[in-house]
Amino acid sequence: MAEAGEKSPLETKTELFEGIPSSVCTNILSTARPMDIRSRQVIYFAGDQIEQIFLLTDGRVKITQFSERGTEVILRLCIPGEVISELALVPGSRHSTTAQAAQDCDLLAWDAATFEAAVERFPSLRCNVKRILEQRLHELERRFCEVSTETVAPRLAHGLARLLDQIGRNVNGHVEINVSQESLAQITSMASFTVCRILTNWENQGLLKLRREVIEIHNVPRLLGLCRTK
C-alpha cells in the first residue's frame, strides 16, 4: 500500500491521473467499481450510449470500427493504465467504436454521470481528459496521413514501430510484440496477404522472426529506417 502522499502503482501509470495529487486520485478511484472481463467479451458496441467510463488495469483491449463492407479495422490496442472509453464531454454522447477484450481483463468503471461530476469538480482531471482526447485525435490524423500517402512497406513499419513503444517487450536481445498478423493487418488497414508477404520478406532479411501470435524484432534501427522509406 502506498504511504500517505505517495501514489499507488495504478495512479502512477495511468494517463488519467497524471499530475493529480494522490488525495484527489484516491477520491476519484473510490467512486469506481471493479469489473472482470473475459477474453473476446465485448465491453461496448458502436452506437451504444456512453453510460460508463472504463479504465483498463490489466489485460489488453482492442478498439475497432467496421467498414461499410464489414471489414474490421483496429483503431487502437489499449494496455493497462489507459482509458478505453470514449471520453465524452457532452452528456448523452454515443460510442463511435466497439471495445472488445483481446485477453482476460480487469477494469475500473465509473457511471458517466459520476465521472462527469468528477471532471467538473477537479480541473486537473478535466485537463487530462482534454489532453487524452487531443492525443488520440492526433494519432488518428497521423495514421490517416500514412494510409493516404505511404506505400505498404513504410505503413507496416510505422505500425510495428508504434506497437514497439506500446506493447513491445525486451527478451534475450530482441523485442517481442504479441500480435497476430491478422491484427497487424487490421491495425495498418492492409490486406492480410500483403502483411504476410512483407513480413516474410523482412524475416528472410534477418530484420525479424515470425512466431505464432508473436513478432520478434531483431533490428529496431533498421525497422525505424523503413518508416522513412518512400
Side-chain angles (χ1 to χ4, degrees):
M1 179 179 297
E3 298 181 2
E6 294 184 355
K7 287 190 175 183
S8 68
L10 172 60
E11 295 169 18
T12 301
K13 70 180 181 180
T14 178
E15 57 189 352
L16 192 60
F17 297 143
E18 185 174 340
I20 297 179
S22 180
S23 59
V24 175
C25 294
T26 300
N27 186 302
I28 298 171
L29 286 170
S30 68
T31 62
R33 64 180 181 280
M35 294 179 62
D36 297 326
I37 303 294
R38 305 299 296 175
S39 179
R40 299 184 181 276
Q41 182 176 342
V42 174
I43 302 165
Y44 58 79
F45 288 97
D48 289 348
Q49 188 164 334
I50 301 178
E51 298 178 341
Q52 298 182 91
I53 302 299
F54 300 103
L55 176 65
L56 182 63
T57 59
D58 189 44
R60 192 182 301 169
V61 170
K62 63 177 183 178
I63 307 298
T64 66
Q65 280 188 339
F66 286 87
S67 69
E68 293 182 356
R69 297 181 179 179
T71 302
E72 184 179 35
V73 177
I74 297 178
L75 300 179
R76 184 175 182 82
L77 286 177
C78 294
I79 59 175
E82 292 191 6
V83 178
I84 62 175
S85 310
E86 291 163 82
L87 292 164
L89 297 179
V90 179
S93 298
R94 294 183 179 273
H95 290 288
S96 61
T97 58
T98 295
Q100 183 180 24
Q103 54 189 229
D104 291 348
C105 296
D106 294 330
L107 310 176
L108 288 177
W110 289 266
D111 290 334
T114 300
F115 190 83
E116 290 164 8
V119 168
E120 291 300 322
R121 181 180 177 188
F122 303 111
S124 51
L125 178 62
R126 186 175 186 86
C127 288
N128 284 353
V129 168
K130 287 184 176 180
R131 185 176 66 252
I132 292 169
L133 289 171
E134 290 171 354
Q135 289 172 344
R136 293 187 181 177
L137 177 60
H138 178 68
E139 179 182 343
L140 288 175
E141 289 174 339
R142 185 172 63 248
R143 288 181 59 185
F144 177 78
C145 183
E146 291 171 8
V147 170
S148 301
T149 63
E150 293 185 345
T151 56
V152 290
R155 276 167 54 192
L156 187 59
H158 268 120
L160 285 172
R162 277 192 294 271
L163 291 174
L164 278 176
D165 292 335
Q166 191 176 23
I167 60 175
R169 296 185 304 115
N170 290 308
V171 180
N172 298 326
H174 63 265
V175 183
E176 291 189 356
I177 304 173
N178 289 84
V179 65
S180 68
Q181 293 185 41
E182 180 183 6
S183 293
L184 184 58
Q186 293 169 343
I187 291 170
T188 54
S189 300
M190 296 169 61
S192 294
F193 71 85
T194 302
V195 170
C196 179
R197 174 177 57 80
I198 296 173
L199 290 178
T200 300
N201 184 38
W202 288 348
E203 183 175 36
N204 292 335
Q205 296 175 25
L207 172 62
L208 50 81
K209 182 177 180 180
L210 302 175
R211 291 164 37 208
R212 181 177 175 83
E213 304 287 321
V214 176
I215 300 174
E216 299 178 6
I217 306 299
H218 288 262
N219 193 329
V220 174
R222 188 176 172 193
L223 174 67
L224 298 179
L226 290 170
C227 295
R228 297 185 289 271
T229 302
K230 299 298 183 182

